[in-house]
Amino acid sequence: MGHYQPLLPDLILAMGATFILLLGPLRDSQNLRDFLRWISLGLVAATAATLVWVNHGMATPYPLVGEGWLTTAPLHTAFAVVFLATIAWTILASTVPDEDAGEWYSMLLFLGTGMIILARAANLAAVFLGLEVLSISLYILIAFRYSKRSSLRGGIMYLLLAGFASGFLLFGMALIYAVFGTLQIAEIRTLALATDMGPMAKVGFGLLLVGVGFKLAAVPFHMWTPEVYESSPGTVTGLIASSSKGAMLAAFIPFLFLLETHWSIIWLFAALSMVGGNLLGLREIRVKRILAYSSIAHIGYVLTGYLAGDTLSANAAFLPSITGVNAVFFYVVAYAASILGAFAALGYIQGERDLTLRDLRGVGRRNPVLAFCLLIFVWSLAGLPPAVGFFGKIYLFSAAINAGYFWLPLIGLLGSAIGIYYYLRIIVHLFMMPADASDPKVHASTLQEWVMLGSAVAVIALGLFPETIFSFLRAF
Amino acid sequence: MAQNILFYLAAVMAVATTSMVVITRNAVYAVLYLIMSLFAVALVFLSLNAPFLALVEIIVYAGAIMVLFLFVVMMLNLQGQRGDEATKRPTRRQMIVPGALALLLLILIVVSLSAGTPAATNAALSDPKLLGELLFTKHYLGVKLSGIILLIGTIGGLHIGRGGSIPSTMEKPIDDVTH
Amino acid sequence: MTLPINEALILSCILFSIGVLGVVVRRNIIYVLMCIEIMMNAAGLAFVAASARHGSLDGQAFFLFVLPVAAAEVAIGLAIALLIFQRYKTLDLWVVARTKEA
Amino acid sequence: MFYNNGLPALWLIPALPALGALIIFIFASRMPARAAGIIACSAISLSFLWVLNVGTTLVLGNHHHFVEHHWNWIAAGPFQGSASFYFDLVTFAFTFVVAGVGLLIHLYSYSYMKGDAGERRYFGYFNLFAAAMLVLVTAENAFFMFLGWEGVGACSFFLIGHWYQKSENTVAATKAFLVTRLGDIFLLIGLFLTATLVGVSFSQQSAWTQVATSSFIPGFGGLTGPQLILITGICFLLGAAGKSAQVPLQVWLPDAMAGPTPVSALIHAATMVTAGVYLIARFHILFALSPNLMLAVAIVGVLTAFYGATSAFVQTDIKRILAYSTISQIGYMFLGLGVGAWSLAVFHFFTHAFYKALLFMAAGTVIHSLHNEQNIYNMGGLRTKLKGTYLAFLAGAASLAGIPFITAGFYSKDAILWNTLSTKWGSPVIYGIAMLTALMTAIYSFRLIFVVFHGTPRKDIHVHLPDRLLTWPLYILAFFAIVAGFLNLPIVFGVTPIWEHSFARVFGEWQAEPLIHSHAVEWMALLGSGVLALGGAGIAWLLYSPAKAPMPEPAGDIATVENNTPAPYKAVWANFLFHGWKMDGFYNKTFVRGFRITSGVIAWIDRVFVDGIFEAIQAIVRGFHALVIFFQNGRVSRYAMVMLFGAVAIITILLIGSQR
């Protein structure tokens, strides 16, 4: 048992997902949904608790578990717990018809399994398999409403392009393995830093970055975002934008040694994403697409922080006690808190067609609670104080400045100034436009309204006490 | 030597059949070409001293996955009749840019391969038993995850496949999702 | 006796490029799925070749992990493709992209 | 809780209006519309009383400042942004105006907004705005201040767009927010630099002197101290220019008049736009350490003052005239800051808040009484019908024009002008432009009086009389607009300037001392600006008095004005041409045409460069969008091709990079 103990969280989650699937037909369908929802919530909580428990008191330097497949480093564990929290949030905020409840919740749990594996991956195979568990669950969740044509279209587009990208990723891994002869990222790191990397390794890492860039939706691998975001269920869109990207970000941390040689690629990713994402959103009128483009810009900001790496700069000027990866962690939490709520809220408003800005008119009057929450989320995404998104940007950019990057934070600041425009348009249409003849339809249960309100309060509270997130990180 | 001849034969066959997959109009032929390509790759595996993988390639890839393709293609009757948009071959003009890009990619990778390749070793590891031991000791987590992936694939196929039996007029609401 | 390791790697590159080309130029969902399979298979071949180069079995094990992934992707992809054929009456991705609807 | 160590708690000052806003927003749907106004007024009046309490404790106890610490907001190395409050004389001046004038405007709004559909929302944001502004001026460190800074921006956005049913109002609100955001980015950069160089707390300001003497600061790529000071200062200046509508970021303020008139009075006259003045006054040590920086502030100030005055000169919309005059007057404040007369800039802010709020609210009364008529050439003859409003407006306009000896505006503006001439950071050229601007200010102020209130009504309209709440705040403000000046009588009168004397404790050695000590010169300057003001009023009388006739104005709807002009008036117009031909020709050539040409040039620059830049940005966005949409066509193969292109590009970059 002791040997397998570190794998307990993953086991609980995966077996729990199977269990829920089996449980589906056993109960009468009236209470089934609520029943399954609370069970899956309990499973996620148990997983998180186990994760914290098994990692507690690990000796430093943090050992690898599962025969070198997973790391127990605190940052990665913290990431995993955050992703579990997003899954729990989604379980609460989404509702499904009774007969689909089993598949829905078990898919969410499988998605969580993929995330916590990917976030803690310590070898190439774990990265690949974690990513695929995550991706394949997402294919199903995106196409979950198979009765809608657009949903099928989004599902197949994501599936084909993600498959294409993982082909690149896989081939890159093969080349890396061909050069270094090992799957362990730590060993690859040692070998790569010890010798001058040959062209083959460079190509390998380049192809790997294609896969990473696709998952993060960084320009130029961002093309799928608008369509897929548009056609997925609101809560799933939130997960794609937040924790699915976040898991990839966490998985990429061990590869940060690439910054030594490959920083220009990351720099380009970041700059293009910030410029492209913000410019693309300006003329869009479909709300989910606006947020999709904004998510591209946000990945640009995150990559800016990544450039700072995981070490502290010797003569840092701004915020010297915060490393790039810690800033990224902060941002992932801040962004997840905001974007999950925003997409879920749009999901509640969404009608049959694509949701446009015009459809938002009058929501402020029809459902002030939801509109207020959406306002807070958008406020935070725009990076305005006192919402938590403001600090996210500050930490990222100051980390980048400390690492000696000057232009990138500047591009980011200017880009976010441009971006304010489309966030403002959402607010304007929510509150400051007279509604059309028909009132918008807003469907949110009491539970969902409370969940939304809770996360809106959290977004503000984390902005007032941003240190909390770092304390959380230090607790691991 | 015999192994090398086997390799080159298989390689030529693999490239030829794989190219045909991209080119051919008839989907059934495409599937069959792909199966041949997989057989050829299996031969390459043999020449690389990996007989177990050669068998797996044929049984799982060609035998199971491709049969799934064949099944669907037959069901949808994608024979590639004239005027069928779906299986239309890409025109030469449409091929220029992607072709150039793909060629560039190929050249870049191959050039980098030949630029700094360390000498190859000759270790022959053909024993499936060793591989089995490795899988269930060092890589047991991978086996577990593979299992999960197959499970998810099954569930997903079942869930989405259910849509086929439901008339498209019957919308199934998921309230945060549809109304 | 030398194993044709470098040659196998180059072969895998060629197969990979063909797969990439196929994804980019074909419009039919089934074909695109098949081309993704070609890419994955090429990567698997590269792993096996690399495995032989280093005399370790990790690459062969990795090939075995690629298989279920390919299988699962195909299963779901074909399931969606069947539904798309039912709803759109076509498997042409361009037509699917063009169609505006609820 | 309300007192710590015997000192009154500072957090109550912003907390009371914030509480008011909270109550209004939470119970909005369950309270009568009028109740929102009552809650808002009570909240702000309590806050005002508390400001008085704190202020008197400060002044009587002879304290330099109070500090009150609550919790750590951000704590990372030198980045110690805490939720703490700070209260010194500058804070007192600002809080007094924000809460005091704010209270009067709240009361005025209570009557003005009666029956408006969004009354609850209006008062909620009004209170929230006051709270944010109070946070801005009572914050102990730059970071906490930034919270208020953004807060007022957000609230002004909602208030400008209050009547959102008209889409141009929403556009104006968005424009205001975006332009000020542009400035905020620079402010943020400045804050980062400050945080790292000296720390964000206002108590640490003196550390700038150490920075100024450093020849190399680690972590800044080898920049020297003075260079860093210059960069930081420019960032602050741009941030302040955005919020305070200074050149080149002034474009948003005239459009922001789209909101209800009390909003214009509160936000765009009395409080928010002066945040830039507050910022620079707070960081006065930083600015004083660099002569170039001071010169930049002074030039921005004087240019803006001139720009505002010329633009105000040719407007016909009463609120736009006042908006441009605000821009111009804040330019004077910046000028004061730029010549090192910190306390006088704050003093001008103080007096300006009274008379500008007064002018806006009086204008609001006029607009209200004439059923939303805003073109001054459709008014006229209101002197008898709106007697009280007329008197109040007269007091305000006189103060704006700087009529000598009896108005507050005279004392505050003249003091700045005198410092421009006499201190080491001043210059005669700037002084000359500022004097010219003062003349123009007097002309357009009295043009307003004569066109709006004198003569006979241009339009046959029913005037409905304002109620008490619409007039009493005006009288109170009129009182202050006259007497506030006596707080700082010039030293040549043989009295101690109370204001400057008290503020010496805050600004101390950094306050610029006059280099010219001759009382005769000072008297001359004093009388000179007085004569200019009176002369300007006289010119306005010649040009616009009903005894003559109005000059035709380049307003878009002059034709309607002409048509609406009663017949006797046309006779007067002909008469006027006959008698006053030479004089008017002279004035027309020298002043009016000259100013019109200047205004035209400025408008052209505005159109070609400022608008041109925005249009260029739009064109870029449009082109980029078209390009991207070409690829974004939903086809998987197209997307895959872009990805393939990206992959090839990445590999190429990596391989080429390796050869380097």
Side-chain angles (χ1 to χ4, degrees):
Chain A
M1 186 62 202
H3 188 59
Y4 295 97
Q5 185 178 315
L7 299 175
L8 214 49
D10 316 82
L11 277 175
I12 292 177
L13 208 53
M15 294 185 60
T18 320
F19 173 68
I20 283 188
L21 206 64
L22 293 176
L23 219 55
L26 291 183
R27 301 270 308 196
D28 66 306
S29 75
Q30 198 58 43
N31 301 321
L32 178 69
R33 196 171 57 186
D34 287 339
F35 182 68
L36 290 182
R37 173 191 292 143
W38 297 117
I39 287 193
S40 16
L41 204 62
L43 281 167
V44 173
T47 310
T50 324
L51 197 58
V52 174
W53 171 64
V54 296
N55 273 25
H56 197 73
M58 282 281 183
T60 42
Y62 301 95
L64 301 183
V65 294
E67 301 292 340
W69 272 56
L70 301 177
T71 169
T72 57
L75 181 64
H76 294 267
T77 315
F79 262 121
V81 172
V82 169
F83 301 146
L84 287 174
T86 63
I87 295 287
W89 195 93
T90 310
I91 288 171
L92 279 176
S94 62
T95 43
V96 288
D98 291 323
E99 63 270 28
D100 284 340
E103 282 97 337
W104 179 260
Y105 291 123
S106 73
M107 271 309 138
L108 283 176
L109 295 190
F110 278 130
L111 185 66
T113 315
M115 283 171 186
I116 62 174
I117 297 277
L118 183 56
R120 299 176 301 146
N123 82 13
L124 295 179
V127 172
F128 175 69
L129 287 175
L131 178 68
E132 289 301 329
V133 172
L134 189 160
S135 299
I136 293 174
S137 321
L138 268 186
Y139 304 154
I140 298 164
L141 287 170
I142 291 171
F144 201 80
R145 319 169 283 177
Y146 46 72
S147 53
K148 275 189 139 187
R149 293 212 287 190
S150 65
S151 162
L152 292 174
R153 185 169 62 189
I156 198 73
M157 173 180 287
Y158 190 68
L159 186 141
L160 294 179
L161 289 176
F164 187 58
S166 37
F168 278 99
L169 180 96
L170 201 56
F171 201 77
M173 283 179 175
L175 292 185
I176 293 167
Y177 172 67
V179 174
F180 298 109
T182 174
L183 294 176
Q184 292 299 325
I185 299 170
E187 290 171 22
I188 292 173
R189 178 197 154 96
T190 318
L191 290 171
L193 291 181
T195 57
D196 190 25
M197 248 191 274
M200 192 162 153
K202 278 181 193 294
V203 172
F205 285 122
L207 292 175
L208 186 82
L209 283 175
V210 175
V212 174
F214 173 84
K215 202 78 203 161
L216 298 182
V219 175
F221 308 111
H222 66 286
M223 306 288 284
W224 54 277
T225 16
E227 271 95 355
V228 172
Y229 280 30
E230 181 78 65
S231 54
S232 316
T235 44
V236 173
T237 317
L239 284 177
I240 302 174
S242 61
S243 39
S244 141
K245 286 182 182 180
M248 194 74 227
L249 286 169
F252 194 67
I253 290 175
F255 289 98
L256 278 180
F257 65 90
L258 289 178
L259 288 175
E260 302 269 329
T261 45
H262 290 46
W263 66 269
S264 56
I265 292 292
I266 314 249
W267 196 98
L268 270 178
F269 269 163
L272 287 175
S273 302
M274 288 189 291
V275 173
N278 281 318
L279 286 183
L280 280 169
L282 288 181
R283 285 171 67 81
E284 184 59 63
I285 54 160
R286 286 163 289 191
V287 190
K288 278 177 122 181
R289 289 185 187 225
I290 291 178
L291 290 186
Y293 289 129
S294 97
S295 80
I296 296 170
H298 281 280
I299 271 304
Y301 307 141
V302 171
L303 290 175
T304 307
Y306 250 151
L307 279 175
D310 51 3
T311 46
L312 289 169
S313 171
N315 57 357
F318 303 119
L319 285 178
S321 60
I322 291 168
T323 59
V325 287
N326 282 10
V328 168
F329 176 78
F330 187 101
Y331 203 81
V332 168
V333 175
Y335 184 66
S338 320
I339 198 76
L340 279 173
F343 273 124
L346 293 180
Y348 301 146
I349 302 169
Q350 196 168 30
E352 283 297 312
R353 293 170 298 109
D354 292 350
L355 188 73
T356 61
L357 283 171
R358 184 170 276 273
D359 298 332
L360 289 183
R361 295 183 181 180
V363 172
R365 189 153 310 137
R366 174 74 181 241
N367 193 334
V369 175
L370 199 69
F372 170 75
C373 293
L374 193 51
L375 167 73
I376 301 271
F377 298 138
V378 170
W379 198 256
S380 172
L381 291 175
L384 298 171
V388 66
F390 169 67
F391 289 99
K393 281 206 185 80
I394 284 194
Y395 291 138
L396 285 179
F397 291 156
S398 46
I401 292 173
N402 285 345
Y405 297 94
F406 171 71
W407 289 108
L408 212 48
L410 196 67
I411 295 173
L413 277 174
L414 290 177
S416 59
I418 298 173
I420 301 276
Y421 174 71
Y422 52 74
Y423 293 119
L424 218 52
R425 283 215 298 178
I426 297 179
I427 297 176
V428 162
H429 281 265
L430 267 180
F431 294 101
M432 297 170 68
M433 288 279 178
D436 293 340
S438 63
D439 255 355
K441 292 199 186 76
V442 182
H443 297 257
S445 66
T446 319
L447 172 70
Q448 289 165 345
E449 277 187 359
W450 276 107
V451 171
M452 299 292 286
L453 209 57
S455 35
V457 168
V459 165
I460 293 294
L462 287 176
L464 291 178
F465 304 94
E467 278 294 303
T468 323
I469 294 179
F470 291 120
S471 320
F472 172 77
L473 186 53
R474 275 192 294 271
F476 286 93
Chain B
M1 198 60 212
Q3 225 165 359
N4 275 0
I5 293 170
L6 175 72
F7 171 82
Y8 283 111
L9 277 177
V12 170
M13 183 174 144
V15 173
T17 50
T18 314
S19 308
M20 287 309 288
V21 176
V22 178
I23 294 166
T24 184
R25 277 180 63 92
N26 190 323
V28 181
Y29 290 177
V31 175
L32 293 176
Y33 277 128
L34 187 48
I35 290 175
M36 283 171 75
S37 153
L38 294 172
F39 265 95
V41 172
L43 287 180
V44 173
F45 284 172
L46 269 185
S47 72
L48 288 170
N49 270 358
F52 176 66
L53 294 189
L55 281 177
V56 169
E57 173 99 353
I58 291 171
I59 295 170
V60 179
Y61 238 127
I65 301 178
M66 292 322 293
V67 166
L68 198 60
F69 269 108
L70 198 61
F71 174 67
V72 172
V73 169
M74 296 294 224
M75 198 165 101
L76 301 183
N77 200 20
L78 298 173
Q79 303 284 342
Q81 289 96 346
R82 290 229 161 269
D84 185 356
E85 281 284 310
T87 53
K88 208 166 87 177
R89 217 185 303 195
T91 62
R92 222 171 270 166
R93 234 181 97 235
Q94 287 166 332
M95 290 284 275
I96 294 173
V97 179
L101 281 175
L103 193 66
L104 199 59
L105 183 74
L106 177 64
I107 291 169
L108 284 172
I109 302 176
V110 170
V111 165
S112 74
L113 273 184
S114 44
T117 313
T121 61
N122 292 330
L125 291 162
S126 56
D127 192 354
K129 193 179 158 204
L130 284 177
L131 183 58
E133 275 180 8
L134 188 75
L135 276 178
F136 287 97
T137 54
K138 190 177 169 188
H139 293 315
Y140 70 95
L141 197 57
V143 176
K144 178 190 136 186
L145 287 174
S146 306
I148 291 179
I149 286 177
L150 284 173
L151 181 62
I152 299 174
T154 318
I155 300 164
L158 279 175
H159 172 74
I160 293 170
R162 227 178 353 166
S165 60
I166 293 167
S168 52
T169 46
M170 227 179 88
E171 299 285 287
K172 294 168 56 93
I174 300 167
D175 18 324
D176 85 333
V177 169
T178 60
H179 307 293
Chain C
M1 185 194 68
T2 13
L3 297 176
I5 292 165
N6 282 339
E7 291 80 352
L9 274 176
I10 290 172
L11 173 66
S12 75
C13 293
I14 296 171
L15 293 183
F16 181 76
S17 300
I18 294 172
V20 168
L21 182 67
V23 174
V24 177
V25 296
R26 294 306 304 224
R27 300 160 55 167
N28 186 304
I29 294 174
I30 305 279
Y31 277 85
V32 176
L33 271 175
M34 279 197 280
C35 291
I36 290 172
E37 292 307 307
I38 295 173
M39 287 168 69
M40 294 237 173
N41 191 46
L45 173 58
F47 265 113
V48 176
S51 175
R53 167 195 262 189
H54 292 286
S56 83
L57 281 171
D58 287 341
Q60 298 200 13
F62 209 122
F63 177 79
L64 288 175
F65 300 143
V66 177
L67 278 181
V69 170
E73 264 188 28
V74 164
I76 297 168
L78 287 178
I80 300 179
L82 276 176
L83 279 193
I84 284 188
F85 191 77
Q86 196 182 37
R87 302 288 151 78
Y88 290 86
K89 309 289 176 233
T90 180
L91 282 176
D92 188 342
L93 283 165
W94 292 19
V95 179
V96 171
R98 258 206 313 272
T99 318
K100 297 280 169 213
E101 84 291 64
Chain D
M1 184 149 173
F2 300 132
Y3 281 88
N4 36 18
N5 305 330
L7 298 174
L10 300 175
W11 63 272
L12 272 176
I13 298 173
L16 284 166
L19 184 68
L22 199 66
I23 293 173
I24 294 174
F25 281 129
I26 290 179
F27 298 106
S29 51
R30 266 160 271 172
M31 62 165 72
R34 297 266 79 193
I38 293 169
I39 292 171
C41 292
S42 334
I44 190 80
S45 49
L46 285 175
S47 177
F48 179 58
L49 288 177
W50 200 255
V51 166
L52 290 180
N53 180 16
V54 179
T56 45
T57 317
L58 179 90
V59 173
L60 296 180
N62 215 13
H63 299 280
H64 182 264
H65 64 262
F66 303 146
V67 174
E68 190 177 296
H69 178 78
H70 287 283
W71 79 84
N72 278 335
W73 195 23
I74 322 169
F79 242 51
Q80 294 289 346
S82 59
S84 306
F85 296 95
Y86 184 88
F87 198 96
D88 64 359
L89 266 181
V90 178
T91 318
F92 186 32
F94 275 84
T95 45
F96 184 84
V97 166
V98 174
V101 177
L103 169 61
L104 293 176
I105 300 174
H106 269 76
L107 291 173
Y108 179 90
S109 305
Y110 182 70
S111 168
Y112 194 88
M113 298 304 285
K114 187 176 179 180
D116 189 274
E119 209 177 331
R120 302 180 189 88
R121 176 163 48 93
Y122 174 88
F123 280 107
Y125 283 124
F126 231 55
N127 254 359
L128 196 62
F129 173 85
M133 188 69 203
L134 288 168
V135 167
L136 199 166
V137 295
T138 54
E140 187 265 345
N141 57 65
F143 243 100
F144 197 40
M145 185 195 76
F146 191 69
L147 179 66
W149 186 278
E150 289 294 332
V152 288
C155 294
S156 76
F157 168 70
F158 282 108
L159 286 169
I160 294 170
H162 180 72
W163 287 320
Y164 56 75
Q165 287 79 2
K166 271 170 78 181
S167 63
E168 61 261 36
N169 293 357
T170 320
V171 171
T174 311
K175 182 177 176 186
F177 196 75
L178 290 177
V179 174
T180 51
R181 274 303 294 178
L182 197 63
D184 291 354
I185 285 175
F186 289 102
L187 175 65
L188 209 52
I189 296 173
L191 284 189
F192 284 156
L193 287 164
T194 308
T196 317
L197 291 168
V198 302
V200 287
S201 169
F202 292 142
S203 324
Q204 299 162 349
Q205 289 300 300
S206 54
W208 282 113
T209 47
Q210 285 157 22
V211 176
T213 52
S214 310
S215 55
F216 171 76
I217 310 247
F220 287 95
L223 291 175
T224 63
Q227 282 169 329
L228 279 171
I229 284 188
L230 192 64
I231 295 170
T232 315
I234 292 291
C235 287
F236 277 142
L237 179 58
L238 283 167
K243 208 62 152 189
S244 291
Q246 299 291 292
V247 171
L249 298 176
Q250 81 287 8
V251 288
W252 61 272
L253 186 61
D255 289 1
M257 292 299 125
T261 310
V263 170
S264 311
L266 178 65
I267 297 180
H268 308 120
T271 57
M272 183 180 98
V273 288
T274 54
V277 179
Y278 176 78
L279 178 77
I280 295 181
R282 263 283 169 251
F283 284 94
H284 60 276
I285 297 180
L286 162 72
F287 282 84
L289 283 169
S290 165
N292 293 333
L293 214 47
M294 294 297 279
L295 187 64
V297 177
I299 287 176
V300 164
V302 78
L303 279 184
T304 312
F306 186 67
Y307 168 89
T310 48
S311 303
F313 201 75
V314 292
Q315 298 299 319
T316 54
D317 180 322
I318 187 167
K319 284 179 77 178
R320 286 181 83 89
I321 296 175
L322 292 177
Y324 278 113
S325 85
T326 303
I327 293 180
S328 175
Q329 293 298 305
I330 297 171
Y332 273 117
M333 294 173 210
F334 271 64
L335 177 60
L337 297 168
V339 299
W342 316 105
S343 57
L344 294 172
V346 176
F347 186 54
H348 194 54
F349 150 76
F350 192 69
T351 58
H352 170 258
F354 293 118
Y355 63 73
K356 190 49 63 64
L358 163 63
L359 285 172
F360 263 113
M361 279 153 57
T365 311
V366 170
I367 294 167
H368 204 62
S369 308
L370 297 182
H371 305 281
N372 299 327
E373 177 57 65
Q374 300 203 2
N375 189 332
I376 57 170
Y377 286 100
N378 289 340
M379 300 169 180
L382 296 174
R383 183 177 37 158
T384 45
K385 288 184 177 162
L386 296 170
K387 198 155 192 145
T389 311
Y390 168 64
L391 288 175
F393 200 96
L394 188 62
S399 204
L400 173 63
I403 295 300
F405 305 127
I406 52 165
T407 61
F410 171 72
Y411 291 113
S412 58
K413 199 199 290 177
D414 177 70
I416 288 175
L417 290 173
W418 169 241
N419 273 269
T420 308
L421 185 66
S422 66
T423 59
K424 63 172 172 178
W425 284 304
S427 103
V429 179
I430 294 179
Y431 178 71
I433 303 174
M435 288 296 265
L436 183 64
T437 309
L439 174 69
M440 287 160 60
T441 309
I443 299 178
Y444 74 72
S445 314
F446 278 90
R447 168 174 173 256
L448 263 181
I449 293 279
F450 296 139
V451 174
V452 173
F453 289 99
H454 287 254
T456 48
R458 248 40 75 79
K459 214 171 154 189
D460 192 25
I461 36 176
H462 169 71
V463 173
H464 72 81
L465 290 176
D467 65 15
R468 225 174 281 164
L469 270 180
L470 285 181
T471 47
W472 272 100
L474 299 186
Y475 301 151
I476 298 171
L477 284 173
F479 174 74
F480 278 105
I482 298 296
V483 304
F486 301 128
L487 280 175
N488 199 39
L489 291 174
I491 205 156
V492 287
F493 284 14
V495 291
T496 317
I498 303 167
W499 187 280
E500 270 189 272
H501 187 71
S502 324
F503 274 76
R505 199 163 51 200
V506 179
F507 296 111
E509 55 186 309
W510 304 103
Q511 179 91 22
E513 285 298 321
L515 300 175
I516 306 170
H517 290 287
S518 157
H519 278 203
V521 178
E522 192 168 352
W523 267 114
M524 295 240 302
L526 193 69
L527 292 176
S529 60
V531 167
L532 273 186
L534 290 173
I539 291 169
W541 176 259
L542 285 170
L543 292 178
Y544 301 103
S545 84
K548 316 276 173 152
M551 297 278 297
E553 285 295 317
D557 51 350
I558 263 300
T560 48
V561 177
E562 294 273 303
N563 292 340
N564 288 340
T565 312
Y569 222 82
K570 278 182 180 156
V572 172
W573 167 240
N575 193 23
F576 162 74
L577 271 182
F578 184 71
H579 289 293
W581 169 245
K582 279 184 183 169
M583 280 304 279
D584 283 313
F586 175 71
Y587 284 128
N588 210 357
K589 281 206 179 75
T590 51
F591 289 104
V592 179
R593 188 165 297 168
F595 290 149
R596 273 205 202 125
I597 289 169
T598 322
S599 311
V601 167
I602 287 174
W604 181 79
I605 291 173
D606 228 43
R607 217 170 35 241
V608 173
F609 288 96
V610 180
D611 290 359
I613 289 168
F614 285 108
E615 269 162 28
I617 292 174
Q618 268 193 349
I620 291 170
V621 169
R622 224 174 285 137
F624 185 83
H625 195 78
L627 180 75
V628 170
I629 287 306
F630 172 72
F631 288 103
Q632 199 87 46
N633 60 358
R635 291 178 186 168
V636 169
S637 48
R638 185 65 63 80
Y639 293 5
M641 198 169 86
V642 174
M643 285 170 66
L644 173 59
F645 175 78
V648 171
I650 285 179
I651 293 170
T652 316
I653 291 172
L654 289 180
L655 288 179
I656 290 173
S658 71
Q659 288 162 1
R660 197 170 42 196

